[in-house]
Amino acid sequence: MVTKLPKVDVVTVGVGWAGGIVAAELSKAGYQVVGLERGGEKATEDFLHAHDHLKYEQRQEVMQKLTNNTITIRNNLQMTALPVRSEMNYTIGTGVGGGGSHWAAQTHRYFPYDFEIRSKTIERYGGEKIPKDMTIQDWGITYDELEPYYDKFEKMAGISGEEDPLAAKRSNPYPNPPLKRTPAMKLFHDAAEKLGYHPYVIPGGNMSQTYTNPDGETLNACHYCSFCSGNGCEIGAKSDPVVTVVPTALKTGNFELRTYAYVKRVIYDGDKATGVLYVDTQTGEEFEQPAELVALTSFTLNNVRLLLLSNIGVPYNPETGEGVIGKNYTDHHNYLGATGFFNEEKFNLYVGSGILGETFSDFVADNFDHSDVDFIHGGQVEIRQLGLSPIVNNNVPSGTPMWGKEFKKQSLFYFNRTPLVMTQKASLPWKQHYLDLDPTYNDDHGDPLLRVTLDYTDQDRNLNKFLTGKCAEVLKEMGADIIEEHVMPDHFSGAANSEHSGGGAIMGADPETSALNNYLQMWDMNNLFVCGSNAFPHFGAANPTLTMGALTYRATEGMIKYLQEGDGLLVKAKSTKQNS
Amino acid sequence: MPEKHESEKNKIVSRRSFLKNTGMVTGGVVGGAVLGGLLGNPFKTETPQGDPEKKTDFHEQTPVDYSETRQFFKRKEDFDVLSMATERIFPEDEHGPGAIGLGVPYFIDKQLAGPWGINADDYMKRPFLTPELNQLPQVPLNRADIFILGVRMLNEVSKTDYGDAFYNLEEERQIEILQAFESGEVKMNKVSSAFFFGLLRQSTLEGAYSDPMYGGNKNMEGWKMKEFPGAQMSYTNVVEEEEFLLIDPVSLKGHH
């Protein structure tokens, strides 16, 4: 028995950053918006008692529980995919705010090279630089076209930052100055500079001062308390949909937020979405919410799964490379670097915030000549000061037993002597990496889980080796006594300690090779918009939220245009055939 | 580690000068009214919990800790094996208490009695197939079952190989047996001994370093050994400090 509800202008599936941005922009423009969120509500007060590593980091308090829904993973087409079973191995936010509550809040812009990666790679190195079956493609948008929306997200979220000397042109400075520098950050800065690199303080959504955004929402200054990434902020000093776009939407009077509403299907008639089918997860009651426009705004993997479950768009076929839903799946979770053990110096490493740190972009994108390296794109070298959890930070020099007397002695000694130097690197797509529905494992509704097929490639291994070498070089210059480079595992395990998944419903200029146009509008269903990192044709070096948020801000302009002008595609399709 | 204590001398001086410079007194917590302005005063300086032997002014006897009673482990024998195994993983030494002194066995007992013990947040639907390459573990048993199987196997191996219960063996023997579990050499039914050992090690460290409200990290001794200040609310005045600051820890009990 499904109860049919009155029709609204817009329904969003999920109320995190993407759903919050859609809700805020469309409700400000006078449209009636309903936000369906599978989890509960959140408020800053929830986090006053949250300085608790066991509950938040180990037991993943603010994350989706895997009891009923997870992913399955295999490395190649021949293997049987198996589920990621342990809550500890999978981090996806849930509840209002979603990933935007627990995120670390780093916000680097992608580089102009990212948006035209295929054309620019061929232009500089020739087509043979791109390995067979690497399916990089241009995004159907340029940096200059997206720049105003980067600016808009940064102002909404009150980004504190210092300009990257190697980044592309900005229309405005960051709305807030960078965070303070710790001694470890200064040491990194000086070392990187001596080596000829261009370090700067990491930008992001921890406030360096009290800030009121253009929507009138006020954020407080960060206390560097360290319970940041993986937690929400009890004083509203981290940008979060809960303290920005959600209240902005609610105060228009045009936005209704419904929690514990889990969307099972997009409902459609021909090539028009008519609404969504959802279940109240507390009572089991089912509802149909009709809408003029449907926005999928949940996590990347859930957006793609919902398209597959709803049978919308042509599923990707990894044998032929045809089809688009599930294509170009990328995973960004392989954060390695080098551990530097300092015997003489101790740092206040218990101090921290999600973004606290420095980095340099000398090896990101095409900022250096790739003629003599065996990979494309690159990554950033970072020092991060998140604030150490004593439970999981037990660095000991290799050769030390992992428990017992010597382990205790060494792990106590080095706790405040091993600042984190790591890399985040680009993840590029391959023909054989994709998402589809699992043939064996289901959720409690009887719907198949999402299946991931992905493995590490020589591109990943070569890039990782190059970058961990740079981490070691910087640590040596910083004066570390023992330096150990992290070694990449042979195969991808499916474990994810953050929400950095990309692709599966990507944007582009050509409906043959992309699911969405550059307004994130489905080529095949004009009143369905899919907002998330699912739109990324490849994963750039840095964290996804800013680029995802900028694309979503731009998508809301498309949505408003669509609602004003009625039926139609916002962008004319081009045939690019760039992957043939 | 004498070299460490040597280098600590300077740091203690630095800490004193920091406190002097910021107008704070020792014994309290760095933070409080000075750092936590926005929240009012989020700290109540905790009652010193140091020496449990010491009698207070109000009571002539040490209060009984009723929470240190087994919830999960029905057999004392199982709990005694667990306790000794955690102590070998995190032993008492010159730095401070080991797992038993920190209350780790009771921490694990409480965790196993709750949702973590029955894998309430994990995907436990069948089938459980054998992982290939680097696929993640597929274990059909919940943690409560695994701990029971594991501690009984520890004791069985001890009795078979050395003729006595695990907790009665010499330290060296206990370590050898745990190493055999760690490497997966010991055959167990339905789950590998290496998986059990991994769980045992992880929960021992969780018990040593989690907030004391969970039953481990007694008197915040785990945090003190690690020079970790616990659940502080603000480090605004510490973030740029050049010297290492040894800050007295606070627990969530010290919050509102």
Side-chain angles (χ1 to χ4, degrees):
Chain A
M1 175 63 194
V2 178
T3 306
K4 191 164 178 173
L5 301 167
K7 188 175 178 180
V8 295
D9 296 319
V10 179
V11 63
T12 79
V13 178
V15 186
W17 271 131
I21 289 169
V22 171
E25 294 305 298
L26 275 288
S27 65
K28 281 195 288 182
Y31 294 101
Q32 295 298 313
V33 183
V34 164
L36 301 175
E37 168 54 48
R38 65 179 176 176
E41 56 113 24
K42 281 195 205 103
T44 51
E45 295 92 304
D46 294 335
F47 298 104
L48 265 172
H49 201 64
H51 289 200
D52 180 345
H53 290 122
L54 186 72
K55 189 171 184 171
Y56 286 83
E57 289 195 358
Q58 304 300 103
R59 306 288 183 257
Q60 307 252 64
E61 172 70 9
V62 291
M63 309 307 171
Q64 173 199 311
K65 302 309 168 204
L66 302 190
T67 317
N68 171 37
N69 192 2
T70 182
I71 57 162
T72 69
I73 156 79
R74 60 178 182 170
N75 297 128
N76 57 55
L77 299 175
Q78 287 72 46
M79 282 167 70
T80 301
L82 300 179
V84 173
R85 292 187 178 275
S86 170
E87 177 69 14
M88 267 193 91
N89 286 329
Y90 210 51
T91 294
I92 294 185
T94 196
V96 176
S101 289
H102 74 76
W103 69 322
Q106 270 200 50
T107 57
H108 302 271
R109 293 180 176 194
Y110 279 9
F111 285 81
Y113 170 79
D114 280 299
F115 301 100
E116 298 164 88
I117 187 170
R118 189 172 188 90
S119 307
K120 284 178 182 286
T121 303
I122 292 171
E123 186 185 300
R124 187 165 176 186
Y125 308 103
E128 61 279 9
K129 185 74 179 171
I130 303 170
K132 181 176 172 289
D133 293 338
M134 180 190 275
T135 51
I136 48 172
Q137 59 187 60
D138 295 354
W139 288 37
I141 196 167
T142 62
Y143 173 84
D144 289 343
E145 287 172 291
L146 194 58
E147 201 284 335
Y149 306 94
Y150 271 139
D151 188 58
K152 190 161 183 173
F153 186 94
E154 287 166 353
K155 286 183 175 138
M156 177 276 292
I159 301 306
S160 307
E162 181 177 40
E163 283 194 29
D164 175 358
L166 302 180
K169 198 172 157 291
R170 310 170 50 88
S171 53
N172 286 297
Y174 283 113
N176 285 307
L179 293 187
K180 295 178 183 193
R181 279 192 170 90
T182 66
M185 286 162 66
K186 287 179 196 157
L187 197 58
F188 174 92
H189 186 99
D190 293 345
E193 230 168 36
K194 262 186 216 149
L195 292 165
Y197 307 138
H198 299 80
Y200 64 101
V201 179
I202 289 174
N206 298 147
M207 300 306 107
S208 54
Q209 59 188 11
T210 305
Y211 173 73
T212 300
N213 80 9
D215 294 318
E217 311 300 341
T218 298
L219 295 150
N220 295 310
C222 175
H223 282 186
Y224 304 88
C225 77
S226 86
F227 293 86
C228 189
S229 180
N231 286 56
C233 181
E234 68 273 17
I235 57 168
K238 176 162 80 170
S239 337
D240 177 335
V242 172
V243 293
T244 54
V245 287
V246 172
T248 297
L250 287 169
K251 73 189 178 193
T252 65
N254 294 327
F255 175 54
E256 185 195 341
L257 173 59
R258 276 180 222 151
T259 50
Y260 303 106
Y262 173 75
V263 176
K264 291 169 69 175
R265 293 290 186 279
V266 176
I267 305 167
Y268 51 96
D269 182 9
D271 61 2
K272 277 278 169 292
T274 57
V276 297
L277 174 72
Y278 75 91
V279 59
D280 180 322
T281 59
Q282 294 181 312
T283 65
E285 285 176 277
E286 290 198 326
F287 298 91
E288 181 183 335
Q289 177 59 65
E292 192 62 33
L293 186 153
V294 176
L296 304 193
T297 53
S298 62
F299 180 54
T300 299
L301 296 171
N302 295 328
N303 279 351
V304 176
R305 180 168 178 249
L306 193 52
L307 289 171
L308 290 167
L309 287 174
S310 305
N311 204 12
I312 294 171
V314 182
Y316 178 69
N317 180 337
E319 307 281 357
T320 62
E322 287 168 4
V324 290
I325 309 300
K327 176 183 157 143
N328 277 32
Y329 176 64
T330 49
D331 180 274
H332 189 239
H333 291 106
N334 189 24
Y335 317 121
L336 300 170
T339 305
F341 297 84
F342 288 76
N343 291 335
E344 305 303 323
E345 277 165 281
K346 277 168 89 175
F347 306 92
N348 295 314
L349 295 181
Y350 47 79
V351 175
S353 84
I355 67 166
L356 194 62
E358 293 218 11
T359 186
F360 55 85
S361 301
D362 298 74
F363 301 109
V364 178
D366 205 29
N367 293 349
F368 69 109
D369 185 357
H370 286 62
S371 299
D372 296 327
V373 296
D374 42 12
F375 57 83
I376 290 170
H377 209 304
Q380 52 194 38
V381 175
E382 310 176 346
I383 184 165
R384 299 286 297 281
Q385 194 161 339
L386 296 159
L388 293 183
S389 156
I391 299 172
V392 294
N393 288 283
N394 293 290
N395 287 317
V396 291
S398 62
T400 312
M402 289 311 287
W403 51 278
K405 277 202 169 88
E406 189 61 18
F407 169 76
K408 183 182 174 189
K409 179 179 164 182
Q410 299 286 348
S411 61
L412 292 179
F413 180 73
Y414 281 116
F415 181 60
N416 283 304
R417 298 168 184 272
T418 46
L420 175 64
V421 176
M422 57 169 264
T423 67
Q424 291 201 84
K425 49 192 175 293
S427 303
L428 303 183
W430 296 82
K431 185 182 175 189
Q432 68 274 21
H433 295 170
Y434 76 113
L435 302 171
D436 68 349
L437 295 175
D438 191 88
T440 308
Y441 296 95
N442 291 336
D443 66 13
D444 278 352
H445 303 293
D447 287 330
L449 302 184
L450 192 71
R451 176 169 67 177
V452 170
T453 304
L454 188 136
D455 205 354
Y456 297 133
T457 62
D458 285 343
Q459 154 80 23
D460 301 310
R461 284 182 272 271
N462 297 337
L463 175 54
N464 185 66
K465 196 153 181 262
F466 179 84
L467 289 172
T468 56
K470 299 294 171 195
C471 292
E473 181 192 25
V474 174
L475 276 164
K476 189 171 177 220
E477 190 65 36
M478 286 170 71
D481 294 284
I482 306 168
I483 298 165
E484 295 180 3
E485 286 181 43
H486 303 161
V487 180
M488 222 173 113
D490 289 340
H491 298 284
F492 176 62
S493 74
N497 57 1
S498 63
E499 287 186 67
H500 290 205
S501 302
I506 63 172
M507 61 188 288
D510 179 358
E512 291 289 313
T513 57
S514 60
L516 314 172
N517 65 32
N518 61 19
Y519 282 98
L520 310 186
Q521 179 185 34
M522 285 283 296
W523 290 115
D524 293 349
M525 195 170 280
N526 298 345
N527 66 335
L528 180 63
F529 290 73
V530 188
C531 307
S533 304
N534 55 266
F536 295 5
H538 72 270
F539 215 108
N543 315 52
T545 297
L546 174 63
T547 298
M548 186 282 292
L551 288 169
T552 301
Y553 266 117
R554 189 168 182 278
T556 61
E557 288 190 0
M559 293 176 199
I560 290 167
K561 191 161 181 247
Y562 177 89
L563 289 168
Q564 282 170 346
E565 295 174 10
D567 191 22
L569 276 173
L570 296 158
V571 182
K572 199 161 169 259
K574 278 184 204 162
S575 182
T576 53
K577 294 275 175 211
Q578 60 174 355
N579 277 336
S580 59
Chain B
M1 210 184 304
E3 70 278 9
K4 184 188 170 196
H5 292 301
E6 268 309 304
S7 67
E8 283 312 285
K9 277 182 190 163
N10 292 334
K11 306 300 181 191
I12 291 162
V13 173
S14 306
R15 177 179 173 243
R16 284 202 185 115
S17 61
F18 167 77
L19 292 168
K20 196 175 141 202
N21 293 340
T22 51
M24 281 181 271
V25 291
T26 49
V29 170
V30 176
V34 176
L35 305 186
L38 200 62
L39 292 167
N41 182 355
F43 304 100
K44 296 217 184 225
T45 305
E46 292 191 47
T47 314
Q49 301 169 3
D51 184 358
E53 304 283 300
K54 198 179 160 192
K55 310 256 189 298
T56 68
D57 293 342
F58 308 106
H59 302 285
E60 282 306 305
Q61 58 188 47
T62 308
V64 176
D65 184 353
Y66 292 100
S67 74
E68 293 219 332
T69 309
R70 299 192 313 275
Q71 293 181 16
F72 169 74
F73 285 97
K74 298 185 184 79
R75 301 184 193 171
K76 183 170 181 298
E77 177 89 350
D78 292 341
F79 187 72
D80 289 345
V81 174
L82 172 82
S83 301
M84 188 51 76
T86 62
E87 183 68 18
R88 289 287 76 84
I89 288 170
F90 198 85
E92 183 176 332
D93 64 3
E94 70 272 24
H95 301 99
I100 292 174
L102 291 168
V104 167
Y106 285 106
F107 165 87
I108 293 174
D109 178 75
K110 287 177 173 59
Q111 289 294 309
L112 290 173
W116 189 74
I118 56 166
N119 297 54
D121 295 340
D122 295 346
Y123 187 81
M124 296 297 280
K125 295 184 203 300
R126 293 164 185 155
F128 287 83
L129 305 174
T130 307
E132 293 178 73
L133 302 178
N134 200 27
Q135 279 175 316
L136 294 163
Q138 305 287 314
V139 180
L141 308 184
N142 66 32
R143 296 184 185 94
D145 293 335
I146 293 167
F147 265 86
I148 292 292
L149 281 177
V151 295
R152 289 187 187 161
M153 185 56 84
L154 273 175
N155 217 19
E156 193 179 315
V157 170
S158 306
K159 287 175 177 172
T160 307
D161 292 0
Y162 302 105
D164 207 343
F166 179 76
Y167 45 82
N168 286 332
L169 300 181
E170 283 174 26
E171 190 177 321
E172 287 313 303
R173 297 289 87 74
Q174 292 170 342
I175 290 170
E176 280 169 27
I177 291 170
L178 285 169
Q179 283 169 340
F181 274 72
E182 182 184 26
S183 68
E185 279 167 37
V186 178
K187 287 279 164 271
M188 281 175 59
N189 193 15
K190 299 177 184 173
V191 61
S192 77
S193 55
F195 188 83
F196 162 65
F197 183 86
L199 213 48
L200 178 68
R201 178 185 179 275
Q202 177 204 324
S203 51
T204 300
L205 293 174
E206 286 177 350
Y209 295 128
S210 293
D211 192 280
M213 72 173 167
Y214 294 105
N217 187 21
K218 202 180 281 186
N219 297 330
M220 302 185 282
E221 291 295 335
W223 288 347
K224 287 174 196 163
M225 281 187 276
K226 216 162 188 178
E227 300 179 334
F228 175 72
Q232 305 285 339
M233 293 307 274
S234 174
Y235 292 121
T236 302
N237 289 0
V238 181
V239 61
E240 292 175 305
E241 178 61 43
E242 292 288 340
E243 294 296 321
F244 181 74
L245 299 177
L246 195 60
I247 300 175
D248 293 341
V250 289
S251 75
L252 282 168
K253 194 174 170 63
H255 289 202
H256 284 299

